[in-house]
C-alpha cells in the first residue's frame, strides 16, 4: 500500500491524471477488504487491488469515465439486480452479475492536475500572471518559446516584442487551448500579421489578451486574462446519481464517455473498457473483451454458442 501511495505521488509530480479507488465497504463474500486500493490510469491500466476481475473491470470503466469529467463518486457494485437503491447525489450503483455474491462500495477519487499556465516574458504582467494563477490554485511557470509544456492549458506571451512570433507560433502548433498576446490593439494586429500561420490558426490567438473589464494595473490585467481562460474552457457534465443496471448500462454523460472505448462482453453483456489490462481473446480475426476470467473461459470453450 505504501508503494501504491508513492506511485500516486509520482503521478501527481508528473502531472498525470489518475483515479484513486479505495474500498470503503465490503459485504461478504468478496475478495476485497475495506482499505484495499488501486490506481486507474488514463490508458485503462490498473495498479493495486480492489477485488477480482469482475469488480476490477467495473472500476476501470467508471474510473475512465470520471477522468473525462473530473468528478469523484462513490461506486456501489452489487450482484443483486433487485436491490434497488434510492437516488443519491454522489452515488453510482452498478448491477454486476459476475460478482461472487457480495457487494462492494468503492470511492473513486479523480486526481486531475491543476490547469497549467505557461508565461513567456519578464514584463510586470508576466510576473503578475504567475502570482495570480498560483493564488487560485493553478500551476504557472515562465520560460522560453521553445519549452511550451504539452499539457499547458494556456500560453500567455507578455514579452513586449521579444520572441513573440516564435512563442505564438509554437503555442498554436502545440494546439494549446488558450493562447494570448499582451499588447496594444494596434501592435497586436501587426504581430498577428507577421505570423507564419493560416488565417484560421491566427484566429485562435486572443490579442489583445483578456476580457475588457477596465483593467489597468499588471495584476488586474493578469486577472482579466485568467478570467478569459476560465470563460473559454469546455464545460463538463458530472455523472448523474442513481442506479445503472447492466447490460442496459447508459453512458454517464455523452461528453464524458466520448474518449472511452467500450466493448460488450458476449457472455454477460457487461460493458468493458478496452485497455491493455482488459481480458481479451482473439477468435477468427476478431478481438473479444471480457469482464472476468469466467466469461473468457466460457467463450474459449465454446465460441459458437455465443456468436
Amino acid at each position: 500500500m505504501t508503494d501504491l501511495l508513492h506511485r500516486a505521488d509520482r503521478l501527481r509530480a508528473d502531472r498525470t491524471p489518475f483515479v484513486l479507488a479505495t474500498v470503503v465497504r465490503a459485504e461478504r463474500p468478496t475478495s476485497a477488504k475495506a482499505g484495499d486500493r488501486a490506481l486507474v490510469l488514463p490508458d485503462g491500466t490498473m495498479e493495486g487491488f480492489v477485488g477480482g476481475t469482475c469488480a476490477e473491470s467495473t472500476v476501470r470503466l467508471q474510473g475512465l469515465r470520471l477522468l473525462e469529467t473530473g468528478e469523484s463518486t462513490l461506486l456501489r457494485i452489487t450482484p443483486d439486480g433487485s436491490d434497488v437503491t434510492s437516488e443519491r447525489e454522489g452515488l453510482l450503483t452498478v448491477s454486476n452479475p459476475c460478482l461472487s455474491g457480495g457487494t462492494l462500495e468503492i470511492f473513486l477519487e479523480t486526481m486531475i492536475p491543476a490547469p497549467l499556465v505557461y508565461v513567456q516574458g519578464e514584463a510586470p504582467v508576466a510576473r503578475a500572471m504567475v502570482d495570480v494563477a498560483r493564488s487560485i490554485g493553478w500551476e504557472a511557470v515562465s520560460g522560453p518559446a521553445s519549452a511550451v509544456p504539452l499539457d499547458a492549458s494556456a500560453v500567455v506571451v507578455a514579452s513586449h516584442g521579444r520572441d513573440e512570433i516564435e512563442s505564438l507560433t509554437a503555442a498554436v502548433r502545440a494546439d494549446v487551448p488558450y493562447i494570448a498576446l499582451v499588447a496594444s490593439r494596434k501592435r497586436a494586429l501587426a504581430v498577428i500579421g507577421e505570423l507564419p500561420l493560416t488565417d484560421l490558426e491566427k484566429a485562435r490567438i486572443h490579442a489583445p489578451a483578456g476580457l475588457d473589464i477596465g483593467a489597468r494595473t499588471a495584476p488586474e490585467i493578469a486577472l482579466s486574462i485568467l478570467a478569459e481562460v476560465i470563460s473559454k474552457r469546455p464545460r463538463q457534465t458530472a455523472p448523474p446519481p442513481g442506479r445503472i443496471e447492466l447490460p442496459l448500462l447508459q453512458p454517464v454523460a455523452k461528453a464524458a464517455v466520448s474518449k472511452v472505448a467500450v466493448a460488450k462482453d458476449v457472455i454477460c453483456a457487461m460493458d468493458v473498457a478496452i485497455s491493455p489490462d482488459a481480458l481479451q481473446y482473439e477468435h477468427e480475426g476478431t478481438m473479444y473483451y471480457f469482464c472476468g476470467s469466467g466469461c473468457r473461459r466460457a467463450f474459449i470453450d465454446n465460441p459458437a454458442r455465443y456468436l
Side-chain angles (χ1 to χ4, degrees):
M1 189 61 63
T2 300
D3 290 342
L4 190 72
L5 295 178
H6 285 165
R7 170 67 167 147
D9 288 339
R10 290 196 297 271
L11 291 171
R12 290 191 189 94
D14 293 338
R15 294 185 51 80
T16 301
F18 65 94
V19 170
L20 175 61
T22 304
V23 178
V24 295
R25 179 175 173 270
E27 183 179 305
R28 298 179 185 177
T30 62
S31 55
K33 301 294 184 291
D36 285 340
R37 289 175 172 171
L39 303 176
V40 182
L41 304 183
D43 64 353
T45 57
M46 291 183 62
E47 302 176 15
F49 179 79
V50 286
T53 53
C54 291
E56 182 181 277
S57 178
T58 300
V59 169
R60 176 185 294 110
L61 177 59
Q62 300 304 332
L64 288 174
R65 288 177 169 173
L66 290 173
L67 281 175
E68 296 295 327
T69 67
E71 300 290 326
S72 299
T73 193
L74 178 63
L75 173 66
R76 188 170 190 267
I77 309 176
T78 175
D80 188 356
S82 63
D83 181 18
V84 179
T85 301
S86 59
E87 292 189 2
R88 285 179 285 174
E89 184 177 356
L91 173 65
L92 179 65
T93 302
V94 173
S95 176
N96 186 329
C98 298
L99 285 179
S100 57
T103 295
L104 288 172
E105 291 185 1
I106 304 172
F107 183 59
L108 303 180
E109 185 178 7
T110 306
M111 304 291 189
I112 302 294
L116 174 62
V117 178
Y118 188 78
V119 183
Q120 195 265 317
E122 296 294 334
V125 172
R127 296 193 295 272
M129 281 294 308
V130 173
D131 293 338
V132 175
R134 289 174 178 173
S135 72
I136 62 173
W138 290 18
E139 290 190 35
V141 295
S142 58
S146 59
V148 175
L150 294 178
D151 65 337
S153 297
V155 167
V156 179
V157 178
S159 59
H160 288 281
R162 178 173 297 178
D163 298 328
E164 291 174 329
I165 301 296
E166 295 79 2
S167 298
L168 293 171
T169 303
V172 170
R173 290 177 175 167
D175 201 25
V176 176
Y178 176 91
I179 306 166
L181 171 65
V182 178
S184 67
R185 189 171 302 278
K186 181 177 179 179
R187 198 172 70 80
L189 289 173
V191 173
I192 297 299
E194 295 181 28
L195 295 174
L197 303 171
T198 66
D199 290 342
L200 190 60
E201 290 172 329
K202 292 177 181 179
R204 294 188 51 219
I205 300 172
H206 298 265
L211 299 177
D212 185 5
I213 60 173
R216 295 181 180 179
T217 66
E220 289 175 347
I221 294 172
L223 180 62
S224 75
I225 296 171
L226 288 173
E228 188 171 42
V229 175
I230 293 171
S231 72
K232 298 297 181 182
R233 69 185 179 186
R235 273 28 175 197
Q236 294 179 324
T237 305
R243 181 178 187 79
I244 293 180
E245 294 189 5
L246 298 173
L248 301 178
L249 184 61
Q250 300 298 318
V252 173
K254 289 183 180 179
V257 300
S258 60
K259 298 180 182 178
V260 180
V262 178
K264 187 76 71 174
D265 187 325
V266 295
I267 306 298
C268 66
M270 283 188 63
D271 282 348
V272 180
I274 297 176
S275 74
D277 277 2
L279 291 177
Q280 52 193 275
Y281 179 75
E282 185 175 354
H283 175 68
E284 296 183 350
T286 300
M287 188 67 72
Y288 295 88
Y289 293 84
F290 305 93
C291 71
S293 55
C295 289
R296 185 174 183 273
R297 284 195 302 269
F299 181 80
I300 293 174
D301 291 342
N302 188 6
R305 178 182 177 184
Y306 303 101
L307 299 178

